Amino acid sequence: MITTLSQICRHLSVAGCVAAGLTLGVMATGCSSDDHAPIFQPTLPATGGDCVRSIEHQGSMMASYDWIFHYDGPRLVQAQGTMRDADPKADKSYRYTSYLGYGTSWISVTNQPGEAVNIQLNSEGYIDRMTVGQNDYRFRYLDGRLVEWSKTVYENTFGQQAMYTSTGKITYDNGNYSKLEYVGPDSERATLTFTSTDLVNRNGLLPVGVTKELGMLGFEHLYYAGLLGRPTINLVRSVDYTSPRQTYTMNYEYSSRSGNTVLCNFHAPDGKIASVNYTY
């Protein structure tokens, strides 16, 4: 069983360690200056469809998280995350619950179990910077869409401190993912090329299997809370992944019910069949 933050960071190549906490607090400047100001309401990613309430991975596993979301009207207020992994010893070995509260121009998030986290929002209400202890996460947007992120993570082992950095740069074509340049904590570079379907992304879903490269692995719920940028206009048809170590293509097929995407089938990098189920 993986039981410590240090072990989780190493297992997920530091990509998911922010979820291995955590108590999120938000830096709020002047939030008490006007007690009668309206409560901050992020724009949720669903556009024309229902907001997703659960995400469950089945079949061949990749580093990912299952989620159960709870809403209070137009705001996501609770999220339960479960780590999924191809390694049976790691799969479902870590769970945490995140509670989100909203003020006039800020949010407060408490994760159990957890450690202190601070979040700064930009003028559009998206996360500009997030710190988890010494770890630092930066996000940049263009036209409300995430275009660049960076992550610096520190790990202490036997009195020695190691620093890992990873980054991602995202380009779009007509509101859809086009290309993603990813640099992992081992400095290995990967290029992801996206092809979109003609299906409208009515539920605002993230593409399957690439949240690490999008800089969101382990805290995807903050995206579904409307805090990490606008969704793609259309669902993704395929992702071509190229790096010095491996090259593969993931093709996606979707099923819908009552206007909502309820199933995504695809072949994982190992060639085995995998799927993701969504409920609303």
Side-chain angles (χ1 to χ4, degrees):
M1 291 285 289
I2 295 179
T3 58
T4 69
L5 177 59
S6 177
Q7 289 173 313
I8 293 170
C9 287
R10 289 196 299 272
H11 180 76
L12 290 181
S13 299
V14 197
C17 67
V18 70
L22 309 163
T23 301
L24 269 75
V26 177
M27 294 180 177
T29 302
C31 62
S32 60
S33 61
D34 187 355
D35 294 336
H36 302 290
I39 301 300
F40 171 53
Q41 181 180 318
T43 300
L44 301 181
T47 55
D50 295 327
C51 294
V52 64
R53 294 185 178 273
S54 72
I55 301 172
E56 182 182 8
H57 297 76
Q58 295 182 344
S60 183
M61 286 294 113
M62 303 171 64
S64 58
Y65 273 75
D66 286 349
W67 289 101
I68 298 175
F69 299 139
H70 300 277
Y71 299 86
D72 181 5
R75 300 177 180 88
L76 192 153
V77 295
Q78 181 179 326
Q80 297 164 281
T82 301
M83 187 173 70
R84 306 303 308 275
D85 197 271
D87 184 349
K89 294 181 180 179
D91 191 35
K92 297 185 179 181
S93 63
Y94 185 81
R95 294 180 174 88
Y96 81 108
T97 301
S98 183
Y99 302 92
L100 288 76
Y102 299 82
T104 55
S105 58
W106 50 271
I107 63 167
S108 64
V109 185
T110 301
N111 291 356
Q112 297 177 349
E115 69 180 339
V117 175
N118 292 313
I119 292 178
Q120 296 176 353
L121 301 179
N122 66 12
S123 60
E124 296 178 286
Y126 299 128
I127 296 175
D128 178 67
R129 182 180 183 185
M130 177 169 64
T131 58
V132 185
Q134 297 183 72
N135 304 335
D136 190 36
Y137 303 77
R138 307 287 182 103
F139 303 91
R140 189 172 71 85
Y141 308 85
L142 181 63
D143 191 28
R145 290 188 167 85
L146 181 65
V147 294
E148 189 171 358
W149 63 268
S150 66
K151 175 170 58 175
T152 303
V153 175
Y154 297 88
E155 178 183 335
N156 286 294
T157 305
F158 301 114
Q160 303 296 313
Q161 187 175 74
M163 182 183 74
Y164 305 91
T165 300
S166 53
T167 63
K169 293 184 179 180
I170 309 162
T171 56
Y172 294 79
D173 182 12
N174 294 322
N176 290 313
Y177 294 129
S178 174
K179 191 175 186 180
L180 196 164
E181 298 287 347
Y182 171 73
V183 181
D186 55 1
S187 297
E188 181 173 310
R189 296 178 177 272
T191 299
L192 286 71
T193 304
F194 296 81
T195 302
S196 298
T197 68
D198 293 329
L199 301 172
V200 177
N201 188 13
R202 300 178 72 244
N203 305 110
L205 302 178
L206 287 169
V208 175
V210 296
T211 54
K212 179 181 73 173
E213 289 80 6
L214 287 169
M216 302 182 194
L217 180 61
F219 53 96
E220 294 93 337
H221 68 298
L222 298 180
Y223 163 82
Y224 285 102
L227 300 170
L228 285 170
R230 299 169 60 189
T232 60
I233 293 176
N234 298 98
L235 293 170
V236 173
R237 181 187 303 280
S238 64
V239 176
D240 294 315
Y241 185 102
T242 303
S243 76
R245 293 183 183 179
Q246 58 182 337
T247 299
Y248 60 84
T249 298
M250 291 188 293
N251 295 296
Y252 306 97
E253 295 181 352
Y254 302 93
S255 297
S256 62
R257 184 182 305 123
S258 300
N260 296 315
T261 301
V262 296
L263 177 66
C264 175
N265 290 318
F266 67 104
H267 285 83
D270 61 7
K272 297 180 180 179
I273 295 175
S275 66
V276 181
N277 292 283
Y278 305 93
T279 64
Y280 299 90

